[in-house]
């Protein structure tokens, strides 16, 4: 859990008043762009609109809530093992939807390895959450469950990160309005690809929330993920690589790519067709 570093007076610091889930959403999510990518890619691959969406490792379920904003026919199922994060999502994301949209989001407290849901059009596992599986067998077993959860023409969406900087022990700071987001790659073991990362937040008054979130993952490579998806039954697993703007920075537009570029640090989507 997070450690708040307070000042010596009794006045609440900015860290005391902040909410880690709000800070997380602001720092690492862009659910509008994500849902547009999901729907556009699904339509391009299947020739139809996807309506029923499942979000594994949904956390605060921001993507599920954005999904149902597309209209009355759209439904979302969010799955997460942690009751407190689902509770936060219900109170802060689901409850802020127009009341007619709220009933079309179901949040299920469960392990993604055991949850049973109706067959869905699209299934997503974002922000690298499936990196918790640290053997080929356990990751393949999760991919098999994802395969089973989809309709016959369903599509499974994942994201990943890589590049030589992903294997470095380092801190990266990003300024946001009112706080700084700190991504800390604290440990990397090159023999196992074990990586431990922390998310911390710093505030203009000097207060901090240290280690608001900690992840222990295996840093999977693109060929390993693609091979395991195929072994799990998917007919095709394609990497969608990010395009560049004129300065060489990522432009947020992802297109199917067979090779990628030797960037120092990159994020990509993996799109697996049943
Ligand atoms: C990195 S967060 C991702 C949140 C969100 N998907 C996003 O894109 O930001 C990982 C989430 O996975 C959940 N989780 C971890 N293991 C799980 C499991 N076996 N089954 C379901 N949820 C799990 C955690 O509770 C946490 O909310």
């Amino acid at each position: 859990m997070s450690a708040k570093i307070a000042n010596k007076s009794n006045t609440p610091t900015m860290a005391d008043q902040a909410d880690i889930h709000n800070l997380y959403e602001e720092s690492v999510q862009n659910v509008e762009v994500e849902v547009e990518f999901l729907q556009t890619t699904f339509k391009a691959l299947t020739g139809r609109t996807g309506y029923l969406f499942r979000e594994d490792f949904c956390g605060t379920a921001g993507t599920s809530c954005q999904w149902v904003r597309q209209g009355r026919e759209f439904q979302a199922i969010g799955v997460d093992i942690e009751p407190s994060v689902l509770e936060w999502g219900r109170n802060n994301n689901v409850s802020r939807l127009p009341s007619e949209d709220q009933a079309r989001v179901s949040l299920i407290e469960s392990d993604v390895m055991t949850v049973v849901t109706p067959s869905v059009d699209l299934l997503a596992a974002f922000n690298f959450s499936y990196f918790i599986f640290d053997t080929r067998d356990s990751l393949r077993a999760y991919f098999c469950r994802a395969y089973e959860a989809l309709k016959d023409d369903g599509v499974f969406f994942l994201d990943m990160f890589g590049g030589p900087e992903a294997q470095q022990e380092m801190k990266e700071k990003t300024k946001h309005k009112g706080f700084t987001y700190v991504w800390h790659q604290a440990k990397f073991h090159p023999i196992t690809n074990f990586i431990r990362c922390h998310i911390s937040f710093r505030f203009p008054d000097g207060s901090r929330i240290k280690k608001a979130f900690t992840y222990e993952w295996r840093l999977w490579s693109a060929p390993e993920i693609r091979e395991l998806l195929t072994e799990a039954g998917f007919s095709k697993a394609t990497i969608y690589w990010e395009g560049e703007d004129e300065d060489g920075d990522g432009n947020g537009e992802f297109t199917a790519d067979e090779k990628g570029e030797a960037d120092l640090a990159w994020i990509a989507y993996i799109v697996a067709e049943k």
Side-chain angles (χ1 to χ4, degrees):
M1 249 288 112
S2 60
K4 294 197 181 190
I5 310 296
N7 62 6
K8 288 189 182 112
S9 77
N10 283 333
T11 19
T13 63
M14 293 178 88
D16 291 331
Q17 294 171 73
D19 180 308
I20 56 169
H21 296 300
N22 277 331
L23 298 168
Y24 174 92
E25 288 189 351
E26 217 173 302
S27 304
V28 308
Q29 292 190 327
N30 187 337
V31 294
E32 291 84 0
V33 172
E34 205 147 76
V35 165
E36 200 186 315
F37 175 76
L38 288 166
Q39 189 59 272
T40 309
T41 311
F42 183 85
K43 272 188 192 156
L45 294 176
T46 63
R48 69 180 184 90
T49 301
Y51 293 103
L52 183 53
F53 169 65
R54 182 171 123 188
E55 183 185 10
D56 277 358
F57 311 98
C58 69
T60 56
T63 309
S64 291
C65 290
Q66 183 62 23
W67 182 263
V68 303
R69 287 182 196 272
Q70 292 179 96
R72 291 171 54 181
E73 309 91 329
F74 294 85
Q75 290 183 52
I77 304 165
V79 181
D80 201 284
I81 204 164
E82 172 54 50
S84 64
V85 76
L86 291 173
E87 183 67 11
W88 193 99
R90 272 190 205 100
N91 293 338
N92 294 274
N93 285 332
V94 180
S95 68
R96 289 204 180 125
L97 286 169
S99 51
E100 67 271 21
D101 291 346
Q102 293 184 16
R104 286 181 279 104
V105 181
S106 346
L107 299 186
I108 304 178
E109 181 192 323
S110 174
D111 189 328
V112 295
M113 290 305 295
T114 51
V115 70
V116 178
T117 58
S119 300
V120 297
D121 296 316
L122 305 89
L123 173 60
F126 284 154
N127 270 315
F128 329 116
S129 311
Y130 66 97
F131 282 10
I132 57 163
F133 299 111
D134 63 357
T135 62
R136 290 179 59 89
D137 283 348
S138 59
L139 187 55
R140 189 191 306 104
Y142 170 58
F143 288 169
C144 286
R145 292 202 56 88
Y147 183 90
E148 292 304 325
L150 289 164
K151 290 184 186 163
D152 289 348
D153 65 346
V155 183
F156 182 33
F157 292 79
L158 305 147
D159 57 8
M160 68 172 298
F161 68 103
E165 284 183 2
Q167 305 192 353
Q168 281 173 12
E169 297 179 349
M170 51 81 109
K171 275 186 189 167
E172 183 188 68
K173 299 179 198 99
T174 310
K175 274 202 182 337
H176 290 270
K177 209 169 151 226
F179 70 96
T180 298
Y181 163 82
V182 185
W183 173 249
H184 183 192
Q185 291 170 192
K187 216 16 113 192
F188 179 72
H189 294 160
I191 293 179
T192 58
N193 275 14
F194 168 85
I195 184 168
R196 181 183 298 123
C197 302
H198 307 289
I199 292 177
S200 301
F201 302 102
R202 296 180 187 174
F203 299 89
D205 65 356
S207 61
R208 296 173 182 205
I209 305 177
K210 287 185 92 174
K211 299 183 183 173
F213 300 95
T214 293
Y215 307 107
E216 295 198 336
W217 288 331
R218 170 164 166 180
L219 188 66
W220 290 93
S221 70
E224 288 172 316
I225 296 167
R226 294 179 82 188
E227 284 162 14
L228 287 168
L229 285 163
T230 311
E231 288 171 27
F234 287 93
S235 60
K236 204 171 169 196
T238 307
I239 305 284
Y240 281 61
W241 196 259
E242 190 173 10
E244 286 182 358
D245 62 19
E246 55 275 11
D247 301 325
D249 297 326
N251 65 3
E253 300 212 352
F254 291 81
T255 50
D257 198 317
E258 275 304 312
K259 293 188 179 133
E261 294 280 341
D263 296 337
L264 294 177
W266 49 266
I267 287 175
Y269 284 110
I270 306 122
V271 179
E273 295 163 71
K274 191 156 178 176

